[in-house]
Amino acid sequence: MRHTASLLALVSAAIVSALPAPANEARQVDCCAILQDVFPDKVNYPGTSRFSQETDAYWSSSCTLSPNCYFTPDVTAEVATAVGLLSANECRFSVRAGGHHSSVGAAGNIGGVTIAMTNFKRRDIDPVNNIASIGPGNRFHEVYSATDVYHKVGVLGRYAQVGTGLLLGAGLSYLNNPEGLSVDNVVAHEVVLANGTVVIASADSHPDLHKALKGGGNNFGVVTRYDIKIFDYPETVLGGLVTYGEEAMPFYDDLAYHYHVDAAVNDKLTHILPQWGFNGATGQRESFTPFLYLSNQPQLPPSLQPWVDVPWVHNTIRNTSALAPLSFENHDGYFNGDAQQQRTITIFADRELFREISERFHAFAQSWVHIEGFYALHCKMPITPFMVQKGIENGGNVLGLEGIEETLSIQYFGVTAKNLEDSEALFAAHDEFVESIRQLAQERGRLHRYIMWNYSAFNQPVIGSYGAENIQFLQEVAAAYDPNGVFQNLVGGQKLPL
């Protein structure tokens, strides 16, 4: 994709706070050469087909930056050697798993090395101990396909092409209501530390690092394997996608509110992802809402029936024996290459505030129909007190959600433009809009401080939202495992507060 000088300047400015300036350009080129001396067939430069393939793997064009090379390892030992070399030579580098994030600099850089975990496709299923060992190069449809064979499922993302970075942030999933967040269902991480050593972090080995990785992101090392819990599901479940048009929009926020405070709390086998989008091409709102009911039943339970009593356009809910096809169905129509920005805040579930936020986002979206390929997406996703308690039972995380007494709602706001050239003004306005919603929620006394990593923008203070105690804990873990600050100073993304 062609990037003008002004756009590269914009992108550079966006990530300058997270990426140190190189000593000189020659040093950055040398970093690739250092790796090539050891791995001559795994370093890929601009102009090669593999470089193009790795660049095209990013979901958002705003994240397809200009590293000097991609390093494409096959095994953990190669990652360990590379990280040790990059650290010792003070080389800027990034790590990309699925690349399905819109936060500029989270998994890429300008003028450095990007370690692409594309080849880490391990999917080992232990149906006796209910553990799946998965590599960070997997997309979730691949993991679903592996676990479907055993009628088991992990607490994974719902969309086929989303990758494992979700497992370091928080993780919303079909199984959240009964099992909690994705991070709380990782039982072990294989981690390459800054000095090139490899450790297994679990409740029994390096438990501080294990806990830090449950929300602490890429601040401590490179995860080369996740061991996750998997759970049985019935011979068939009810799942599918319900498409709604403008006719359903007057009812949608009430349905979303009731899901937050009723079904998600009292009928834990249910799952819905409440969302609607505004299509700039049609000037209309629409919704493609994923459903799952983890029970071998012929129809939806009463708690979900109101969702199909309102006008809908298309309904694929059916009994199915596999979840991988659902992930593809959810993902249909989403593709790489557009300019994307995600932002998020967290509020306490509130019917009137739900309605007002939707009204305001709809009005905002209508003002951008002149942008080619414009789309706006808004989701409302619950985190219940039970989900938080499951995290505590599983050893705790660093998100700072303990003590909530009512359901939270993760408010997702996303905007899309076909052309990167249109993104500067759109993204700035989007930032301003979401800040106005944050202030509105704060004025109403319904704002929670938490900012979910998985849906954040580069300039949202994610880790700062975890609370002072968790910030101090993360800083202590970073000092213990990365005393030279490699992952704070040489690797981009959401960094620990100073």
Side-chain angles (χ1 to χ4, degrees), residues 71-98:
F71 174 59
T72 52
D74 291 301
V75 295
T76 298
E78 293 171 351
V79 178
T81 298
V83 170
L85 288 169
L86 295 172
S87 299
N89 288 278
E90 298 183 359
C91 295
R92 175 194 299 172
F93 68 98
S94 303
V95 182
R96 196 208 68 225

Side-chain angles (χ1 to χ4, degrees), residues 457-492:
F458 73 95
N459 61 347
Q460 292 194 278
V462 169
I463 296 177
S465 76
Y466 292 175
E469 184 176 340
N470 285 316
I471 293 171
Q472 181 178 348
F473 170 74
L474 291 170
Q475 290 169 335
E476 291 170 353
V477 173
Y481 290 93
D482 182 14
N484 294 323
V486 168
F487 285 92
Q488 297 305 302
N489 299 311
L490 297 178
V491 179

Side-chain angles (χ1 to χ4, degrees), residues 385-396:
F386 181 85
M387 290 162 58
V388 175
Q389 181 59 36
K390 289 294 289 188
I392 295 170
E393 293 171 5
N394 287 332

Side-chain angles (χ1 to χ4, degrees), residues 238 242 244 248 251 254-256 258-259 262-264 267 270-272 291-293 297-312 315 317:
L238 273 176
V242 179
Y244 302 95
F251 311 102
D254 283 349
L255 291 170
H258 282 291
Y259 175 65
D262 183 10
D267 196 351
T270 62
H271 179 82
I272 292 179
F291 281 70
L292 190 72
Y293 183 43
Q297 299 291 330
Q299 62 186 24
L300 292 173
S303 63
L304 299 186
Q305 188 61 38
W307 286 84
V308 291
D309 289 339
V310 301
W312 48 264
N315 182 343
I317 296 175

Side-chain angles (χ1 to χ4, degrees), residues 255-328:
L255 291 170
Y257 173 75
H258 282 291
Y259 175 65
H260 278 65
V261 300
D262 183 10
V265 175
N266 301 314
D267 196 351
K268 295 182 176 62
L269 298 181
T270 62
H271 179 82
I272 292 179
L273 199 175
Q275 58 166 292
W276 60 262
F278 176 83
N279 189 332
T282 65
Q284 299 290 308
R285 285 174 293 177
E286 58 194 14
S287 172
F288 305 95
T289 302
F291 281 70
L292 190 72
Y293 183 43
L294 286 163
S295 181
N296 188 6
Q297 299 291 330
Q299 62 186 24
L300 292 173
S303 63
L304 299 186
Q305 188 61 38
W307 286 84
V308 291
D309 289 339
V310 301
W312 48 264
V313 177
H314 190 57
N315 182 343
T316 71
I317 296 175
R318 74 279 188 187
N319 288 102
T320 178
S321 60
L323 299 186
L326 297 180
S327 73
F328 281 110

